[in-house]
Amino acid sequence: MSSYVEMHQYLDSDGSGTSDQCVSSTIGAERIADATAWLKAHNFKGFLGEVGAGSNANCIAAVQGALCAMQQSGVWIGALWWAAGPWWAD
């Protein structure tokens, strides 16, 4: 039997998803590294149920880095993009 863990990750400075600015273009992979190690150590699979970042080059690179790291890890089974807030209509 497999066990799955669902997690959330936002790439702004406080991890809240309230800013359209990401910490860096590598923050996505950096922030999921500990979760990836934990999943491997406990023989779990992970699902990133919410990932969010701004619509700019820095954030797009950060999301791409996170998704690549997830794909290469062998422990993540997928992710969902989260979008909401007052800027949604833009």
Side-chain angles (χ1 to χ4, degrees), residues 2-73:
S2 297
S3 295
Y4 300 90
V5 178
E6 187 263 343
M7 301 178 190
H8 299 181
Q9 183 60 71
Y10 298 97
L11 305 179
D12 53 354
S13 63
D14 64 0
S16 68
T18 58
S19 172
D20 65 351
Q21 298 301 308
C22 292
V23 174
S24 71
S25 62
T26 59
I27 195 63
E30 292 168 15
R31 287 199 176 159
I32 65 160
D34 287 343
T36 299
W38 184 87
L39 291 166
K40 288 179 178 181
H42 293 88
N43 201 31
F44 289 145
K45 297 288 185 181
F47 181 78
L48 197 56
E50 291 184 16
V51 61
S55 180
N56 56 65
N58 197 41
C59 290
I60 291 167
V63 171
Q64 288 173 332
L67 295 176
C68 287
M70 290 169 65
Q71 186 176 25
Q72 293 169 357
S73 75

